[in-house]
Amino acid sequence: MSSHGTNLKKPLAIIPARGGSKRLPRKNVLPLAGKPLIVWTIEAALESGVFDRVVVNTDDQEIADIAIHYGAEVPYLRPGELATDTATTLDVLKHQLQYAVSEWGGYDDFVLLQPTSPLRTGQDIRNAWALYSQHEVESVVAVTEVEHPIQWTYKANDDQTLSPLFDDNLKRSQDCEQHFRLNGAIYITSIDSVLARHTLIHPSSNMGYQMPANRSLDIDEEFDFVIAQSILTHYAKLTD
């Protein structure tokens, strides 16, 4: 049995949400199927029942107001140097976790939930946390099966010719082994992993929580937003 989850406190949920976005301006507050994009993640986190605190980390007052209205905490507005295009998610997490350790204390683990994954559910969060709690691994990350076999991939040369990356590139899809990619929806690890080891996914001690493609959409641009809108308004009706 894993030692994860033996702490008296439940883990933290951290939802990073910057106000600026070049590809899809103000995406975190854009209305998606009747509510701001970020709200889908806040509600899934709260519904999961996994967390002691659901924390939104943002530099933007409108995002902060929405987050608080829907039940999340916003302990501070992110400093300007962490709100630039060059600031990494790891930089933001370190700052937030240092605050959590200093001001709240007692936490061992946290879950990163990106607001650009609105189709991830509270049940997904519960399942991923159960995986982390029940196994001796340093991290659990949400993944989805790669849409096409990696054996079918090519690299483009300077003269626009193509070179296969694998010798068996003509294999039928049903003859290829499964491969998975990160979908961005859930990352679980210890606070020490970020503060001391500077990593979200331990290279040799991790597990993947497998999610279906229809809940693995990561919104990066308007096209993704349109797909999410369609799934939430039409596909959901078909699966009721």
Side-chain angles (χ1 to χ4, degrees):
M1 181 68 180
S2 170
S3 59
H4 297 319
T6 57
N7 188 20
L8 290 178
K9 282 191 178 181
K10 294 179 179 180
L12 289 170
I14 299 180
I15 304 171
R18 190 161 67 96
S21 175
K22 288 185 176 179
R23 293 185 181 177
L24 185 59
R26 305 295 296 162
K27 67 180 176 183
N28 286 314
V29 297
L30 287 180
L32 176 66
K35 50 194 170 187
L37 172 62
I38 192 173
V39 173
W40 290 90
T41 292
I42 293 171
E43 290 184 341
L46 293 171
E47 190 275 325
S48 75
V50 164
F51 304 109
D52 183 59
R53 296 174 185 264
V54 175
V55 177
V56 169
N57 181 293
T58 185
D59 62 312
D60 186 271
Q61 190 61 55
E62 182 184 4
I63 292 175
D65 291 343
I66 290 171
I68 292 168
H69 177 76
Y70 281 92
E73 297 183 45
V74 184
Y76 59 82
L77 287 183
R78 188 186 303 178
E81 65 270 18
L82 292 176
T84 65
D85 289 335
T86 55
T88 67
T89 298
L90 210 54
D91 293 332
V92 170
L93 286 174
K94 286 179 184 177
H95 189 270
Q96 181 69 75
L97 293 173
Q98 286 165 348
Y99 177 94
V101 170
S102 171
E103 298 296 320
W104 302 327
Y107 293 100
D108 293 330
D109 307 302
F110 77 98
V111 182
L112 168 64
L113 300 171
Q114 300 193 112
T116 48
S117 297
L119 307 181
R120 164 241 301 110
T121 65
Q123 187 63 53
D124 285 320
I125 297 170
R126 284 191 292 273
N127 292 346
W129 177 250
L131 200 62
Y132 182 74
S133 299
Q134 293 165 11
H135 295 85
E136 290 286 354
V137 291
E138 294 291 335
S139 54
V140 165
V141 61
V143 297
T144 190
E145 188 175 2
V146 175
E147 289 80 355
H148 301 288
I150 64 170
Q151 287 85 354
W152 295 2
T153 52
Y154 287 73
K155 68 175 181 178
N157 303 310
D158 292 339
D159 62 356
Q160 297 189 38
T161 60
L162 300 175
S163 299
L165 294 183
F166 301 91
D167 293 333
D168 54 352
N169 64 302
L170 295 180
K171 263 189 174 182
R172 299 183 308 164
S173 60
Q174 58 265 43
D175 295 331
C176 296
E177 63 182 7
Q178 282 185 303
H179 293 91
F180 294 85
R181 63 169 177 83
L182 306 182
N183 70 3
I186 304 170
Y187 298 82
I188 306 177
T189 192
S190 68
I191 291 175
D192 280 348
S193 286
V194 170
L195 296 184
R197 295 189 287 276
H198 313 294
T199 182
L200 265 174
I201 307 173
H202 194 283
S204 60
S205 178
N206 65 73
M207 294 185 76
Y209 169 62
Q210 297 178 18
M211 289 174 59
N214 63 10
R215 295 204 306 278
S216 294
L217 184 67
D218 180 30
I219 294 180
D220 187 45
E221 53 190 39
E222 187 175 6
F223 179 72
D224 306 319
F225 201 88
V226 171
I227 294 174
Q229 183 83 27
S230 179
I231 290 172
L232 287 167
T233 55
H234 301 295
Y235 183 81
K237 294 175 183 176
L238 296 176
T239 56
D240 282 346

